[in-house]
């Protein structure tokens, strides 16, 4: 139950954020999708022992979150919920890879820990990038980006329908589960013997709903084809956004800027 | 388990995206040929149903723990493999976007792992084969249960392979397999039982739904040979791309070390080297101090002298640390300044 | 205008499970009329309305809208003329924004996008929710959802509006607003409902359906005030016609 409420709440928060109108929100969805793609590719392309080189990637979420007015708390809550799964796998690295890699005067750090932190940072950045994309774009505009990318409309239509009916069905499921638990106090979930019929009944109702949705589509001239309006035009600014970020990502991929800064600093300091 | 972006390499992520796109394109074609336009809203609403139903926890008798529905096999049984695969794909797209489950780069892997094996292997080869002799409560139960378990086992094994090929974790193959398969056997049994319970209920209440879904599918007649041949082709292509990537991108460690060490030579003034190597000499009594050269490949390029490596290494480490802190600081300042500027703009706009 | 005339002749329909939902329904509706179709749950109202828009096809009998018989071939024409508002707005608002939902119909008829926009805006304006056009449907209240559902139909420029229980699940204020809105429409209206007061206010003619048959068909004022008839059909007099429980007068 908390799961149901929680996930509905999560979707609605992101939806609400996507309705804002900031510079970032106004950028063409296709460019945002592509930029996210380049960002993810560059992020995961860093070797498993590269740590400092990864850090300049943090500028992307920092700039976007502030420019797009994204509240940090709900986003980070989500990140913290997902990160443990990655940590679970990553924690094996320090166990299996004990070769010292970083040697500082006061400490030695094994390669396993380095690669663990590398996974951790990558996990953090990639999760953030996905959430930022949806929080600044929203499902409707992501769908229009997909259309421009020539993803078949049948798939997009079906994706949007799923997205649309998630909130309807979560509420319906919520009602049924609540009614069930009111009559069976002290149970944590649904007894297995009842699960099949409860879910089955919900499923039959869902199928009937699908039928009604289909009818209402037909009444408005639906003939198996999903027709869309004009896509938003792309301006110079949108292209600059994509090219600019991509250039930045590529540069930090090929030059370890923090290491350069570091050695510069130390050179000056000495 | 969902594959995560952070555990993937671009090569594996990209390959799985390509494989998924291929299967999806083929499925879309099949669904479109179906001319049953009713299927489009059905797929959409069913996707939402599975999404919501995955959150109905049930208690597993005698264990006190709880489980939930998987979805892939249920979709294949109710919608057929093609529509089922596409519906699973959109559920995962939404989960990746809104819940950051897995991630966008790993989406290809996740759709493949959770959709392909259930809809295109377990469903036709197990469920349909068992059902072919005619519907009965028992056959529906066994078919659904077995297909769910095997679909999930294949998916879990696929996760293991993708993780290993990506090379981000140190988990040895054997350990990982021993970790993943039994857990997913347990999950598979639970998911299989509930899927069988739902399918069984529907079959009793509205048998036409189950029969209609399976009847329209030509896939039932598909031969194992064809599937295996298809898989072999996929494997060869995938292997080819992997090895291409492997040769194009040498091992991450090697690549990064060579890179940074090269730059270090250029930029670090001699003084640093000396200071650092003197610091390093002081701590030279530490036990596995001569470790660094265990990466033999790295040392192949650089002369294998004791000073050169530690010096570079300490230099890299320290400057990396300092630079890293500076970078984060800079990022924080950037974020804060944007915030302040925006706030001022808003204030002046009012 | 003859294309506003609806002719239903001896309509019979059996659901696949054998349930006879319509059992020989006949009536004729002329241009500009407002008809209330009333009857208890399961009387066959929804089934009848589905036939008017060609979602279901009769086993026996025929329907024509204007001079066009409702068949699979004529569906595109029929559905442009007859707009149906379904009982559950969530079934009718299936897109992710109100705008896209209202635009869905016009776009299916391949209208140029300028025309689509014009129609979307004017129909949203008519129902008074133009300001909600970029909202996702789940963020609308019950009344707003109903208004949006009506707008999706208005955007098709239908001559005839068919509505299935439009006031169900509305609070009194939204219901009042809806009735006023419907009153302002000049379309031919066919409204299936249990809401006797709405019928009393909106429809000059009433058809009572019971067990898939027409029991009566005539002027609303006369039918709805017939106590025996109403009771026989499992219906209630409109509140306006019931005796006042406080002072005991009408
Ligand atoms: N999809 C269906 N399958 C089988 N029977 C149905 C279906 N829909 C409605 N019925 C039956 O047909 C009869 C008429 O239903 P309906 O037209 O929905 O009534 P109303 O809208 O007046 O409440 C009812 O007895 C109902 O149970
Ligand atoms: Mg009804």
């Amino acid at each position: 139950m908390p799961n149901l409420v929680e996930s509905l709440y999560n979707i609605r928060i992101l939806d609400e954020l996507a309705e804002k109108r900031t510079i970032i929100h106004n950028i063409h969805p296709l460019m945002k999708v592509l930029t996210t793609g380049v960002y993810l590719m560059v992020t995961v392309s860093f070797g498993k022992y590269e740590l400092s080189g990864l850090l300049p990637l943090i500028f992307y979420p920092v700039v976007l979150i502030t420019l797009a007015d994204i509240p940090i708390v709900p986003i980070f809550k989500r990140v913290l919920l997902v990160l443990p799964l990655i940590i679970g796998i990553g924690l094996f690295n320090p166990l299996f890879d004990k070769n010292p890699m970083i040697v500082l005067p006061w400490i030695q750090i094994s390669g396993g820990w380095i690669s663990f932190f590398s996974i951790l940072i990558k996990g953090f950045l990639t999760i953030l990038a996905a959430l930022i994309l949806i929080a600044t774009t929203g499902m409707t505009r992501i769908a229009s980006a997909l259309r421009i990318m020539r993803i078949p409309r049948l798939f997009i239509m079906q994706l949007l329908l799923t997205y649309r009916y998630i909130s309807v069905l979560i509420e319906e499921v919520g009602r049924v589960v609540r009614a069930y638990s009111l009559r069976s106090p002290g149970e944590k979930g649904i007894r297995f013997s009842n699960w099949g019929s409860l879910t089955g009944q919900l499923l039959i109702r869902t199928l009937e709903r699908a039928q009604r949705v289909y009818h209402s589509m037909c009444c408005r001239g639906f003939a198996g084809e999903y027709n869309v309006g004009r896509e938003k035009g792309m301006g110079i600014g949108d292209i600059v956004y994509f090219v600019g970020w991509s250039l930045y990502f590529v540069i930090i991929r090929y030059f370890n800027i923090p290491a350069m800064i570091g050695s510069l600093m130390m050179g000056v300091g000495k | 388990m969902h594959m995560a972006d952070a555990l993937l390499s671009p090569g594996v992520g990209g390959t799985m995206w390509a494989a998924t796109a291929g299967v999806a394109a083929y499925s879309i074609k099949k669904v479109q040929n179906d001319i049953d336009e009713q299927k489009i809203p059905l797929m959409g609403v069913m996707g939402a149903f599975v999404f919501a139903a995955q959150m109905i926890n049930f208690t597993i008798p005698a264990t006190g723990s709880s489980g939930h529905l998987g979805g892939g096999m249920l979709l294949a049984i109710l919608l057929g493999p093609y529509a089922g695969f596409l519906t699973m794909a959109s559920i995962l797209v939404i989960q990746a976007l809104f819940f950051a489950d897995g991630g966008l780069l790993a989406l290809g892997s996740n759709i493949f792992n959770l959709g392909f094996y259930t809809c295109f292997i377990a469903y036709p080869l197990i469920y349909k084969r068992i059902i072919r002799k005619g519907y009965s409560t028992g056959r529906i139960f066994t078919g659904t249960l077995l297909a769910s378990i095997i679909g999930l086992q294949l998916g879990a094994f696929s996760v293991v392979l993708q993780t290993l090929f990506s090379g981000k974790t140190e988990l040895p193959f054997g350990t990982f397999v021993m970790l993943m398969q039994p857990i997913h056997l347990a999950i598979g049994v639970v998911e299989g039982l509930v899927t069988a319970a739902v399918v069984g209920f529907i079959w009793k209440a509205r048998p036409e739904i189950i029969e209609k879904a399976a009847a329209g599918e030509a896939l039932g007649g598909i031969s194992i040979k064809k599937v295996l041949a298809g898989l072999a082709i996929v494997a060869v292509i995938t292997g080819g791309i992997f090895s291409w990537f492997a040769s194009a991108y040498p091992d991450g460690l090697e690549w990064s070390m060579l890179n940074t060490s090269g730059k270090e030579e250029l930029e670090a003034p001699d003084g640093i080297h000396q200071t650092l190597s003197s610091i390093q000499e002081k701590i030279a009594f530490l036990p596995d101090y001569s470790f660094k050269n265990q990466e033999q490949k790295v040392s192949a390029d650089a002369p294998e002298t004791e000073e050169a490596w530690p010096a570079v290494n300490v230099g890299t480490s320290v400057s990396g640390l300092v630079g890293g802190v500076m970078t984060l600081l800079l990022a924080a300042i950037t974020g804060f300044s944007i915030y302040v500027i925006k706030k001022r703009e808003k204030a002046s706009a009012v | 205008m003859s294309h506003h005339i609806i002719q239903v002749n001896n309509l019979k329909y059996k659901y696949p499970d054998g349930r006879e939902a319509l059992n020989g329904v006949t009536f004729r509706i002329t241009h500009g009329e407002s008809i209330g179709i009333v009857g208890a749950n399961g009387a066959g109202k929804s089934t009848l309305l589905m036939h008017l828009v060609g979602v279901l096809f009769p086993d026996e009998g025929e329907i024509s809208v204007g001079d066009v018989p409702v068949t699979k071939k004529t569906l595109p024409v029929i559905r442009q003329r007859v707009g149906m508002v379904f009982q559950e707005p969530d079934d009718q608002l299936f897109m992710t924004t109100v705008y896209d939902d209202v635009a869905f119909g016009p776009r299916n008829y391949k209208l140029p996008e300028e025309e689509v926009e014009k129609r979307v805006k004017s129909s949203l304006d008519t129902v008074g929710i133009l300001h909600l056009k970029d909202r996702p449907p789940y963020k609308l209240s019950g009344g707003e959802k109903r208004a949006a559902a009506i707008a999706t139909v208005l955007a098709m420029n239908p001559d005839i509006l068919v509505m299935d229980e439009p006031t169900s699940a509305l609070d009194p204020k939204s219901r009042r607003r809806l009735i006023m809105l419907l009153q302002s429409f000049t379309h031919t209206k066919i409204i299936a409902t249990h809401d006797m007061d709405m019928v009393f206010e909106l429809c000059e003619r009433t058809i009572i359906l019971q067990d898939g048959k027409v029991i009566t068909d005539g002027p609303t004022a006369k039918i709805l005030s017939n106590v025996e008839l109403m009771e026989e059909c499992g219906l209630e007099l409109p509140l306006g016609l019931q005796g006042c429980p406080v002072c005991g007068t009408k």
Side-chain angles (χ1 to χ4, degrees):
Chain A
M1 267 303 267
N3 245 339
L4 284 166
V5 179
E6 184 87 11
S7 59
L8 198 56
Y9 175 70
N10 179 59
I11 291 181
R12 293 192 174 175
I13 278 193
L14 288 167
D15 263 355
E16 219 146 90
L17 291 179
E19 275 173 35
K20 292 190 174 187
R21 284 282 159 271
T22 69
I23 318 177
I24 303 295
H25 286 79
N26 289 337
I27 287 162
H28 194 281
L30 179 62
M31 292 297 115
K32 274 189 277 187
V33 169
L34 293 180
T35 307
T36 308
V38 175
Y39 181 76
L40 293 176
M41 277 304 233
V42 167
T43 306
V44 303
S45 77
F46 276 91
K48 70 175 168 189
Y49 295 121
E50 286 177 275
L51 257 188
S52 55
L54 270 173
L55 294 176
L57 287 168
I58 191 97
F59 275 89
Y60 174 73
V62 166
V63 169
L64 262 62
I65 284 177
T66 41
L67 277 182
D69 271 341
I70 299 176
I72 295 178
V73 176
I75 297 286
F76 273 65
K77 223 168 108 192
R78 195 72 235 162
V79 174
L80 289 182
L81 276 175
V82 183
L83 220 46
L85 300 173
I86 299 167
I87 293 176
I89 298 287
L91 263 181
F92 284 97
N93 284 7
L95 286 182
F96 285 101
D97 177 3
K98 293 193 163 144
N99 294 336
M101 172 130 317
I102 287 192
V103 182
L104 294 174
W106 59 93
I107 197 171
Q108 279 194 39
I109 300 171
S110 73
W113 279 109
I114 304 279
S115 57
F116 166 71
F117 280 111
S118 167
I119 288 177
L120 195 66
I121 295 177
K122 282 176 198 157
F124 178 74
L125 294 176
T126 50
I127 293 168
L128 218 48
L131 291 174
I132 289 174
L133 174 66
I134 192 73
T136 60
T137 316
M139 201 60 199
T140 312
R141 275 176 287 165
I142 293 227
S144 88
L146 295 181
R147 284 193 297 263
I148 301 173
M149 285 159 79
R150 308 261 161 214
I151 306 284
R153 285 179 188 179
L154 180 134
F155 182 74
I156 298 173
M157 168 111 212
Q158 178 244 327
L159 176 67
L160 286 178
L161 278 168
T162 295
Y163 167 67
R164 160 71 181 100
Y165 282 101
I166 280 176
S167 51
V168 175
L169 285 175
I170 285 185
E171 276 174 3
E172 194 166 326
V173 166
R175 277 194 296 272
V176 171
V177 172
R178 204 172 304 127
Y180 177 90
S181 46
L182 280 179
R183 279 178 288 154
S184 46
E187 265 179 56
K188 247 183 28 202
I190 296 194
R191 218 174 309 140
F192 182 74
S193 53
N194 296 333
W195 199 92
S197 60
L198 184 135
T199 310
Q201 246 143 20
L202 267 169
L203 178 57
I204 288 179
R205 264 197 265 158
T206 303
L207 296 174
E208 283 165 1
R209 181 189 290 279
Q211 185 81 17
R212 294 196 304 271
V213 170
Y214 172 65
H215 287 157
S216 91
M217 291 168 98
C218 287
C219 283
R220 284 188 273 151
F222 178 71
E225 204 183 319
Y226 169 36
N227 298 296
V228 293
R230 232 179 336 212
E231 304 297 352
K232 188 186 165 215
M234 225 179 300
I236 298 272
D238 301 314
I239 294 164
V240 168
Y241 175 88
F242 169 65
V243 174
W245 275 122
S246 301
L247 263 178
Y248 173 72
F249 299 150
V250 169
I251 288 171
I252 58 180
R253 177 67 188 89
Y254 283 98
F255 302 95
N256 186 338
I257 308 236
M260 286 180 181
I261 296 178
S263 52
L264 206 71
M265 294 280 302
M266 295 187 40
V268 172
K270 285 282 128 66
Chain B
M1 184 205 128
H2 283 192
M3 191 69 199
D5 280 359
L7 301 175
L8 270 182
S9 70
V12 176
T15 311
M16 293 321 293
W17 256 106
T20 295
V23 178
Y26 182 69
S27 302
I28 287 173
K29 219 168 170 184
K30 281 288 190 183
V31 172
Q32 260 163 350
N33 288 346
D34 224 12
I35 30 175
D36 185 6
E37 62 215 34
Q38 206 168 329
K39 237 183 184 156
I40 297 170
L42 183 60
M43 288 158 71
V45 180
M46 272 302 291
F49 170 80
V50 167
F51 195 101
Q54 281 183 339
M55 292 173 215
I56 313 179
N57 280 321
F58 60 85
T59 43
I60 303 169
T63 63
S65 54
S66 64
H68 66 79
L69 184 74
M73 189 50 60
L74 183 66
L75 289 171
I77 291 173
L78 290 179
L79 303 173
Y82 306 109
F85 178 80
L86 293 173
T87 309
M88 200 62 211
S90 34
I91 295 172
L92 291 167
V93 168
I94 291 170
Q95 281 177 345
L97 279 172
F98 285 87
F99 297 85
D101 257 348
L104 296 176
L105 201 64
L107 192 51
S109 310
N110 285 325
I111 295 175
F112 199 86
N113 298 345
L114 293 169
F116 180 81
Y117 298 109
T118 41
C119 295
F120 293 103
I121 307 281
Y123 173 77
L125 298 186
I126 296 162
Y127 176 82
K128 287 219 74 165
R129 247 151 224 278
I130 291 178
I131 288 306
R132 202 161 52 179
K133 300 185 195 95
Y135 289 90
S136 76
T137 314
R139 280 200 207 103
I140 287 182
F141 183 82
T142 350
T144 311
L145 182 64
L146 276 183
S148 300
I149 293 173
I150 290 176
L152 200 64
Q153 283 294 302
L154 291 170
F157 190 63
S158 190
V159 169
V160 172
L161 289 184
Q162 287 157 13
T163 313
L164 288 177
F165 277 128
S166 294
K168 302 269 154 135
T169 74
E170 300 292 340
L171 265 172
F173 176 75
T175 317
F176 203 2
V177 168
M178 285 315 292
L179 216 69
M180 289 288 278
Q181 305 304 131
I183 292 178
H184 284 86
L185 180 62
I187 299 176
V189 170
V190 170
E191 285 190 2
L193 282 175
V194 290
T195 311
V198 178
V199 175
F201 177 86
I202 303 278
W203 191 70
K204 269 191 218 123
R206 300 273 295 275
E208 78 278 2
I209 293 174
I210 306 282
E211 283 163 21
K212 192 177 146 207
E217 299 305 339
L219 200 70
I222 210 165
S223 68
I224 298 187
K225 256 188 225 157
K226 257 190 187 166
V227 173
L228 289 183
L231 274 182
I233 293 170
V234 171
V236 168
I237 294 174
T238 317
I241 296 174
F242 277 143
S243 42
W244 175 74
F245 256 96
S247 59
Y249 285 94
D251 167 338
L253 165 74
E254 202 180 334
W255 199 83
S256 65
M257 289 296 236
L258 286 176
N259 239 13
T260 35
S261 71
K263 264 173 271 159
E264 226 46 57
E265 308 275 356
L266 284 177
E267 281 145 17
D270 275 348
I272 292 189
H273 277 283
Q274 270 155 25
T275 332
L276 292 178
S277 51
S278 70
I279 294 172
Q280 169 257 316
E281 260 155 34
K282 281 180 200 145
I283 53 165
F285 57 85
L286 285 174
D288 0 17
Y289 191 50
S290 50
F291 64 90
K292 297 108 219 149
N293 300 340
Q294 290 186 345
E295 272 300 332
Q296 295 298 332
K297 288 179 223 149
V298 176
S299 39
D301 264 41
E304 200 169 346
T305 55
E306 283 274 310
E307 306 116 87
W309 261 110
V312 166
N313 217 315
V314 175
T316 323
S317 305
V318 174
S319 59
L321 192 75
V322 172
V325 172
M326 292 295 296
T327 309
L328 291 182
L329 224 81
L330 209 63
I333 293 172
T334 312
F336 190 68
S337 350
I338 297 176
Y339 175 76
V340 169
I341 293 171
K342 282 199 74 164
K343 216 168 176 188
R344 249 190 234 154
E345 268 178 9
K346 235 181 241 166
S348 64
V350 169
Chain C
M1 282 194 279
S2 67
H3 62 266
H4 290 200
I5 292 173
I6 297 179
Q7 181 74 49
V8 175
N9 264 338
N10 192 31
L11 202 61
K12 288 191 182 165
Y13 183 78
K14 210 192 265 180
Y15 275 103
D17 62 358
R19 166 91 206 183
E20 285 183 22
L22 295 178
N23 228 326
V25 172
T26 303
F27 58 78
R28 177 187 166 88
I29 296 172
T30 53
H31 169 60
E33 268 189 298
S34 256
I35 316 276
I37 295 185
V38 298
N41 281 332
K45 303 183 295 291
S46 300
T47 310
L48 173 62
L49 297 195
M50 304 273 224
H51 281 84
L52 298 183
V53 283
V55 165
L56 297 176
F57 293 98
D59 297 329
E60 249 180 74
E62 59 272 336
I63 310 161
S64 57
V65 175
D67 305 320
V68 184
V70 180
T71 61
K72 282 219 160 80
K73 272 196 196 127
T74 58
L75 280 185
V77 189
I78 297 293
R79 285 171 176 171
Q80 245 177 333
R81 284 189 191 169
V82 187
M84 166 121 173
V85 181
F86 284 77
Q87 182 168 349
E88 167 88 66
D90 269 329
D91 295 340
Q92 195 150 10
L93 304 173
F94 42 75
M95 302 291 285
T96 52
T97 65
V98 172
Y99 186 100
D100 280 341
D101 249 317
V102 180
F104 184 85
R107 280 175 183 160
N108 279 336
Y109 282 91
K110 305 264 158 57
L111 297 176
E113 198 56 25
E114 291 80 30
E115 172 67 14
V116 172
E117 188 177 338
K118 219 168 72 193
R119 284 202 190 185
V120 172
K121 289 197 168 152
S122 88
S123 35
L124 283 175
D125 199 31
T126 307
V127 299
I129 56 162
L130 185 54
H131 59 289
L132 301 176
K133 69 176 166 41
D134 295 320
R135 284 274 181 96
Y138 69 75
K139 276 204 186 162
L140 307 181
S141 70
E144 288 165 348
K145 268 189 201 172
R146 190 75 61 170
I150 294 174
T152 64
V153 170
L154 291 184
M156 307 271 294
N157 279 350
D159 304 313
I160 299 158
L161 277 181
V162 175
M163 278 177 260
D164 199 353
E165 311 210 11
T167 53
S168 66
L170 286 190
D171 61 37
K173 215 167 161 187
S174 318
R175 175 178 168 276
R176 175 59 33 209
R177 207 172 294 140
L178 178 74
I179 291 177
M180 310 266 270
L181 177 68
L182 296 181
Q183 230 153 16
S184 70
F185 289 163
T186 53
H187 305 78
T188 303
K189 287 176 284 240
I190 302 172
I191 306 173
T193 186
H194 309 281
D195 184 344
M196 296 302 156
D197 294 276
M198 175 179 63
V199 173
F200 198 63
E201 277 187 61
L202 276 180
C203 312
E204 63 267 19
R205 181 175 153 200
T206 299
I207 295 175
I208 297 189
L209 220 56
Q210 192 177 24
D211 297 330
K213 281 202 230 33
V214 174
I215 299 283
T216 3
D217 178 351
T220 301
K222 211 164 124 197
I223 292 179
L224 293 198
S225 58
N226 185 337
V227 181
E228 293 101 76
L229 180 67
M230 295 296 282
E231 247 158 41
E232 194 182 309
C233 303
L235 298 166
E236 253 189 353
L237 294 186
L239 280 174
L241 290 182
Q242 285 176 17
C244 169
V246 181
C247 54
T249 61
K250 272 202 181 179

